[in-house]
Amino acid sequence: MHAMVYRGPYRVRVEEKDAPRIEHPNDAIVRVELAAICGSDLHLFHGLMPDTRVGSTFGHEFIGVVEEVGPSVQNLQVGDRVMVPFNIYCGSCFFCARGLYANCHNVNPNATAVGGIYGYSHTTGGYDGGQAQLVRVPFADVGPSKIPGWMADEDAVLLTDAVATGYFGAQLGSIHEGDVVLVLGAGPVGLVAARSAWLMGAGRVIVIDHLEYRLAKAREFAFAETYNFTEHDDIVVHVKKITDHLGADVVIDAVGAEADGNLLQHVIAAKLKLQGGSPVALNWAIDAARKGGTVSVMGAYGPMFSAVKFGDAMNKGLTLRMNQCHVKRQWPRLFEHLRNGHLRPSEIVTHRVPLEHIAEGYHIFSAKLDGCIKPLVVL
Amino acid sequence: MAYTRNKPPLPETPEQLRARIPGWGVDLDRADRPAVPRERFDPDATGAHWDVPDQQPELRPRERSVEHARLTPVFGTAVPLKGVSGAIRRYSYARFSEGRAAHWLLLILADRVDVVESTLSALVAGRPDNPVAETGIRSELSHHGWSSRVGRGRADVGHLVLDPVVVAAPWVVGGAAVVVAVRAALRRRRA
Ligand SMILES: NC(=O)c1ccc[n+]([C@@H]2O[C@H](COP(=O)([O-])OP(=O)(O)OC[C@H]3O[C@@H](n4cnc5c(N)ncnc54)[C@H](O)[C@@H]3O)[C@@H](O)[C@H]2O)c1
Ligand SMILES: [Zn+2]
Ligand SMILES: [Zn+2]
């Protein structure tokens, strides 16, 4: 089968690889129809995530057709069209039983701190991902859902991560009616978080980025008030000025490990890999939140330490909330929001790249060329 | 400006927001949000029909965190350990917990070594790497590399020059390692 393969920092290619096999009785093999490249994949692509092995296949957002099922699979049949959450999880451990699917204890031998994720390095379990013709889907009775007949494929693939995560990020902000919500990062996750904040009754939604074209999308897709941090000497002071010097009630970090805005921090973390991630956006979040406010961290950081301003978070009495998203837990509500038009995920898709050209897809998304917001990979 | 007890007025009323934004407030009830409460014990909701999952066979020794009591019932089998990078990774998993910086720094070192090893073995196997194709750099021409960056005040343009350095770094590290190893070998032969 053809699969995207990592060759080293900033380098990927398509290779002929052995087709995945059923390795456990509850496995399924899915023939991928549509996949996506996530902002998280860029952390791998840039060589930031420890134990990212050359030869591994990325991709944790995908939909497809069930090609084969293991002997214990009951809920799926060959030929079913499925959407697969980015989490790999057993459904039966201490954490899964409590709804913490992203924190499953039974699927990642490499790290206890991290759950299982498709195509996301050995630090999340060493599974190949869905930017390939075929993919092994463990616990087929637990993760995948059949795609409802009314749902568009592009919406379905976005629900496997970006949309669920953005919505989850807004929820972790515990938004009250009338709250001022600040979203850092206008990528797919930030855009959906901003849009979702309104559904939860936000009184004002502010989005910050440095890419004008993404801020334009934040105004149009998420009805947000936007600011470009490069146009302000100190963006945190600006946020204070526009919030009566109190700060935002809720701040959502939708940037993560490769945050820009401070060259030194970015280089130390993203280029030299000497921190778990560039803490610029997270520190802005801590500084821009009002005392007693909530910071919701959706941005992904590596497992190593980062220079986070913990003292301020403590002195301000902030609530810090964060996790990988438990995707399937969000789906019933998100399906409703799609049906009644409150969320239109496919509006953020800008590029559709055939698998054979995936190297260009990575570069365009990574370098933010050509107005790229969300690239899909077409199989 | 005096600091008072009142919440500052919002630019728009709920009625205005509801009129402007489709779905404003439909998830207002905080108790009725899908991620609330954070932990909700409901083992029947997941689709799992086992108490403990079957064990996936360990066909070759599988490295694992020392913080785990056992090999997890299911695990990934992509790219098993091999070569020098494999030895570094194996050592890192066996020796250091996830709490130790050494664990992660060794894994990152192994990642750089892996690039050198894999590039050389691809060359030997007749599937050499093509940096131009693999970096997707041609899209700079087809997808407006220049106009996407210039004059747009982007914050990431300042460190653009470092990207080639990151691509080349494994070679610099690997090359230095080879030089050191060869010199050590020569010294040993002379001694
Ligand atoms: N928690 C989860 O389950 C989960 C799931 C998916 C993605 N993520 C993470 O969410 C983050 C965002 O994902 P995405 O797909 O939207 O990525 P993306 O790269 O498209 O978006 C990140 C945005 O942040 C902007 N940015 C950079 N520095 C900034 C700063 N200092 N302040 C404000 N904006 C800044 C960038 O210009 C970019 O537009 C990533 O770190 C990703 O790994 C987490
Ligand atoms: Zn993702
Ligand atoms: Zn589990």
Side-chain angles (χ1 to χ4, degrees), chain A residues 38-41 60-61 86 161-162:
Chain A
C38 177
S40 304
D41 290 327
H60 55 267
E61 298 176 292
F86 77 79
D161 180 357

Side-chain angles (χ1 to χ4, degrees), chain A residues 351 363-364 367-371, chain B residues 136-152 154 156-157 160:
Chain A
H351 291 71
H363 184 76
I364 291 166
K368 315 299 192 218
L369 303 185
D370 200 30
Chain B
I137 199 87
R138 277 189 292 243
S139 56
E140 287 285 333
L141 299 176
S142 57
H143 289 77
H144 317 108
W146 180 264
S147 61
S148 295
R149 290 202 188 82
V150 173
R152 296 189 181 268
R154 287 172 51 162
D156 54 347
V157 173
L160 192 62

Side-chain angles (χ1 to χ4, degrees), chain A residues 7 11 23-24 51 91 97 108-109 112 141 167 171 175 195 199 202 210 260 329 333 337 363 367 370, chain B residues 22 24 27 32-33 35 37 42 46 49 54 56 63 65 68 77 93 98 129 134 140 144 148 154-155 159:
Chain A
R7 294 299 305 166
R11 294 192 290 120
E23 299 183 56
H24 178 275
D51 210 354
N108 180 4
T112 56
D141 282 331
Y167 185 77
Q171 283 183 82
I175 296 169
R195 182 71 186 84
L199 301 179
H210 67 110
D260 268 301
R329 233 175 114 171
R333 182 67 54 86
H337 289 330
H363 184 76
D370 200 30
Chain B
W24 184 86
D27 288 326
D32 181 33
R33 294 178 186 166
D42 190 4
T46 67
H49 42 84
D54 294 321
Q56 175 182 337
E63 72 286 356
S65 165
H68 262 309
T77 50
Y93 281 106
E98 296 161 50
D129 287 273
E134 290 174 2
E140 287 285 333
H144 317 108
S148 295
R154 287 172 51 162
H159 51 72

Side-chain angles (χ1 to χ4, degrees), chain A residues 68-342:
Chain A
E68 192 185 344
V69 291
S72 82
V73 175
Q74 301 176 354
N75 302 340
L76 290 185
Q77 287 177 337
V78 171
D80 285 342
R81 294 193 73 236
V82 288
M83 47 204 286
V84 184
F86 77 79
N87 323 103
I88 297 174
Y89 62 110
C90 76
S92 60
C93 69
F94 178 94
F95 304 102
C96 287
R98 287 161 179 77
L100 302 179
Y101 306 154
N103 310 108
C104 178
H105 215 41
N106 269 334
V107 288
N108 180 4
N110 297 74
T112 56
V114 196
I117 303 178
Y118 292 94
Y120 207 70
S121 84
H122 277 67
T123 296
T124 76
Y127 298 90
D128 268 337
Q131 290 164 8
Q133 289 177 319
L134 295 165
V135 58
R136 171 191 173 208
V137 172
F139 294 114
D141 282 331
V142 177
S145 277
K146 291 176 204 165
I147 302 174
W150 53 267
M151 192 181 286
D153 286 359
E154 294 196 348
D155 287 332
V157 77
L158 294 173
L159 278 165
T160 63
D161 180 357
V163 175
T165 299
Y167 185 77
F168 182 64
Q171 283 183 82
L172 292 199
S174 308
I175 296 169
H176 292 76
E177 180 169 353
D179 273 355
V180 176
V181 178
L182 169 66
V183 179
L184 299 175
V189 172
L191 290 168
V192 175
R195 182 71 186 84
S196 304
W198 292 123
L199 301 179
M200 296 168 204
R204 198 173 161 196
V205 176
I206 304 166
V207 175
I208 288 174
D209 201 300
H210 67 110
L211 299 172
E212 259 324 313
Y213 73 91
R214 288 185 171 210
L215 292 174
K217 185 60 120 186
R219 293 190 288 273
E220 166 212 326
F221 172 85
F223 309 100
E225 174 184 339
T226 64
Y227 298 96
N228 185 329
F229 68 75
T230 62
E231 289 172 4
H232 298 270
D233 172 46
D234 185 329
I235 192 68
V236 172
V237 173
H238 180 68
V239 171
K240 294 285 169 70
K241 281 185 185 155
I242 60 172
T243 55
D244 295 74
H245 293 269
L246 295 180
D249 298 298
V250 175
V251 187
I252 301 170
D253 164 4
V255 180
E258 296 179 75
D260 268 301
N262 177 317
L263 190 64
L264 185 67
Q265 292 284 11
H266 177 89
V267 169
I268 290 174
K271 304 300 185 223
L272 302 178
K273 288 65 161 140
L274 293 178
Q275 287 193 81
S278 158
V280 179
L282 188 48
N283 285 337
W284 286 357
I286 289 170
D287 286 346
R290 77 157 164 88
K291 286 178 253 193
T294 300
V295 171
S296 158
V297 186
M298 283 300 102
Y301 295 84
M304 273 217 308
F305 40 76
S306 296
V308 177
K309 297 182 56 185
F310 232 80
D312 276 357
M314 186 275 189
N315 286 322
K316 295 176 75 168
L318 299 183
T319 300
L320 304 186
R321 300 198 63 193
M322 60 205 94
N323 207 337
Q324 300 281 347
C325 176
H326 319 299
V327 171
K328 203 172 179 179
R329 233 175 114 171
Q330 323 305 319
W331 277 355
R333 182 67 54 86
L334 289 173
F335 286 14
E336 277 177 42
H337 289 330
L338 258 68
R339 284 207 92 150
N340 51 32
H342 296 156

